[in-house]
Amino acid sequence: MIFWQNRDMGINYIKARKNHVCYGMGLGILVLNDAYPGFPGDVRNASAFPYPIQYEIAEGVTNKTLVYDKNPAQCREAVIAAAKKLERLGCRAIAAECGYFAFFQKDVAGAVDVPVFMSSLLQVPFIQQVIGPKKFVGIICAQKQFLSEEHLKNVGITPGSNYIIAGAQDEYGCTEFDNLWNPLKRPECPEAYFDKAEQQMVNTAKAFVAANPHIGAIMLECTGMQPFARAIQREVDLPVFSWGTLLDYAFSVVAHRDYYGHV
């Protein structure tokens, strides 16, 4: 086998890019400073994504300080510092692992020079255009009680527009997520079962859509929900958006693919 034939012949001349120290990088992802596992497809599990992932822990930013304390502003400095480090490493875009990082979309986008995708909820205005004004985006988040209008506005969502929110944990009793993410309930060693979590998410989505038949698409806000997106879609037969769809899009715009075919 002649290995040189695999070289991208479009890469000939190289030069430093904005003081970045590493190259060939993909997405830089801010993660919470919490030790809990994620199934493949969860943003904190890099194994299922087909592009390079570089993580950076946002020091002091946890489920408690970001979400449960109801004061996400206390995390701003640490979030911006972690994003800048990822940019310095050479990441082509910055993302985060929790939808509640929406609070910092404008802060981080203003602090770095690469595209920023701080929350899966960035997709909601796009989805609203896709499904039209007579249908609603069904947002399934972890805890509805903590998702404020400020979170929504910071990612371009107009409060009171055609969306409706459900809380998987606080409204629909997804206990497997409590076992991972709820600092008030999870065990010392967080754990979850895939089949049980999948069934709980499917039940949530089915009940949510049944109670709101005007829903035209599902938006899975939380970092660990997309492993169950296909199972949800099989049951509700609607377009399903998630962190997975956002990250795929984010990488595609900073590392566009070539096209090969025939005429």
Side-chain angles (χ1 to χ4, degrees):
M1 181 176 180
I2 303 176
F3 290 98
W4 62 263
Q5 289 182 337
N6 293 326
R7 183 172 78 83
D8 183 347
M9 301 305 292
I11 299 176
N12 183 39
Y13 169 70
I14 59 175
K15 64 178 180 179
R17 180 168 57 88
K18 297 179 181 178
N19 202 32
H20 292 180
V21 299
C22 300
Y23 295 83
M25 301 287 277
L27 302 180
I29 298 181
L30 300 172
V31 293
L32 297 167
N33 192 8
D34 274 323
Y36 59 84
F39 293 112
D42 189 311
V43 176
R44 67 168 43 203
N45 185 330
S47 66
F49 295 100
Y51 32 76
I53 297 287
Q54 174 70 40
Y55 292 113
E56 180 64 28
I57 296 171
E59 296 295 341
V61 182
T62 65
N63 272 296
K64 183 178 184 300
T65 60
L66 179 67
V67 181
Y68 285 77
D69 284 354
K70 299 183 182 180
N71 180 27
Q74 66 184 317
C75 302
R76 181 177 285 109
E77 185 175 334
V79 169
I80 291 174
K84 286 183 174 181
K85 185 172 182 180
L86 288 168
E87 180 186 33
R88 175 90 168 98
L89 281 170
C91 294
R92 303 300 299 269
I94 304 296
E97 73 150 336
C98 177
Y100 295 92
F101 276 103
F103 192 87
F104 305 107
Q105 173 64 33
K106 294 180 180 178
D107 294 317
V108 176
V112 299
D113 291 321
V114 295
V116 172
F117 303 84
M118 290 299 288
S119 176
S120 56
L121 295 172
L122 282 165
Q123 298 169 99
V124 172
F126 172 73
I127 303 168
Q128 289 174 323
Q129 297 300 315
V130 170
I131 64 176
K134 295 182 180 179
K135 296 179 181 178
F136 278 54
V137 181
I139 299 172
I140 302 178
C141 67
Q143 297 267 10
K144 180 179 178 179
Q145 61 181 315
F146 299 130
L147 190 59
S148 69
E149 284 195 356
E150 190 165 4
H151 287 94
L152 302 179
K153 288 189 290 186
N154 283 349
V155 291
I157 302 171
T158 301
S161 58
N162 54 321
Y163 64 85
I164 186 168
I165 301 172
Q169 291 167 257
D170 54 350
E171 288 191 311
Y172 286 90
C174 289
T175 55
E176 289 302 280
F177 291 158
D178 281 331
N179 290 338
L180 295 176
W181 309 327
N182 189 332
L184 307 179
K185 295 182 178 180
R186 65 187 173 198
E188 183 176 353
C189 182
E191 61 183 14
Y193 289 93
F194 186 94
D195 53 356
K196 187 175 181 180
E198 180 180 74
Q199 191 59 59
Q200 289 179 344
M201 277 301 301
V202 168
N203 291 344
T204 294
K206 288 173 66 177
F208 186 34
V209 171
N212 301 278
H214 51 301
I215 289 176
I218 296 292
M219 171 73 254
L220 301 177
E221 169 270 340
C222 200
T223 181
M225 292 180 177
Q226 57 269 14
F228 317 110
R230 179 170 290 196
I232 289 170
Q233 192 167 59
R234 281 197 298 264
E235 294 295 329
V236 301
D237 194 24
L238 289 171
V240 176
F241 296 79
S242 68
W243 267 108
T245 58
L246 181 69
L247 296 185
D248 290 349
Y249 179 77
F251 185 73
S252 75
V253 299
V254 296
H256 208 291
R257 71 179 182 91
D258 284 323
Y259 292 91
Y260 300 93
H262 65 275
V263 176

